[in-house]
Amino acid sequence: VCAAAAAYLELHGGGGTAGPALLIIAGQSALGASLGLAVTGAMISIQNQVAHERRGTATASLQVMRGTAAAIAPVVVGAAYLASIRDQGLPLQPEQFLNQKALTTLDPVAVAAAREGLGVALRALLGPLIACGALTVLAAWLVPRTRPAPGGA
């Protein structure tokens, strides 16, 4: 939410550069804290679902899945974003936005068109990302709640 607000302020002249940056920092901090707390709960939940002598295996499986997802997800989202940008035929290359000093020397009309194109590409990803999140919540909700049998059997 904070990143979206920062992007909106940036695209619509939100007065100054510190505001959007602070919103992004606050949003990322809140996201990190939330995910840290959620991972702890998930770990304990998974450990409670298996016998005591299998907790190491369950914990390792969770860590492998987290690591794999952390490696694959940014690549997939980044590739989809770049494909969406390239399909639009923007007047500027995305790399030209990285050099803020050179950005002031570029054609303002081209910069505005490129910013709009970047926004369109981000909005195109929003629906699929929300759908993935909803499917993840649904899958977690459908997992049967079981307890290990007494005695670890």
Side-chain angles (χ1 to χ4, degrees), residues 23-124:
L23 282 173
I24 291 172
I25 291 169
Q28 294 298 311
S29 298
L31 179 65
S34 300
L35 287 176
L37 294 172
V39 167
T40 302
M43 178 98 52
I44 292 169
S45 175
I46 288 171
Q47 289 174 342
N48 284 337
Q49 299 298 317
V50 298
H52 181 73
E53 51 277 341
R54 307 269 306 162
R55 285 187 180 170
T57 303
T59 303
S61 297
L62 174 65
Q63 296 298 353
V64 166
M65 286 185 275
R66 284 183 60 215
T68 302
I72 293 174
V75 172
V76 171
V77 172
Y81 184 58
L82 285 175
S84 180
I85 289 172
R86 290 205 172 99
D87 287 346
Q88 295 181 39
L90 299 179
L92 301 174
Q93 294 299 316
E95 297 82 23
Q96 291 177 290
F97 282 99
L98 297 176
N99 186 351
Q100 293 295 313
K101 291 180 182 174
L103 194 60
T104 59
T105 63
L106 298 173
D107 178 28
V109 174
V111 170
R115 280 188 177 164
E116 180 61 30
L118 292 174
V120 167
L122 281 175
R123 286 189 293 277

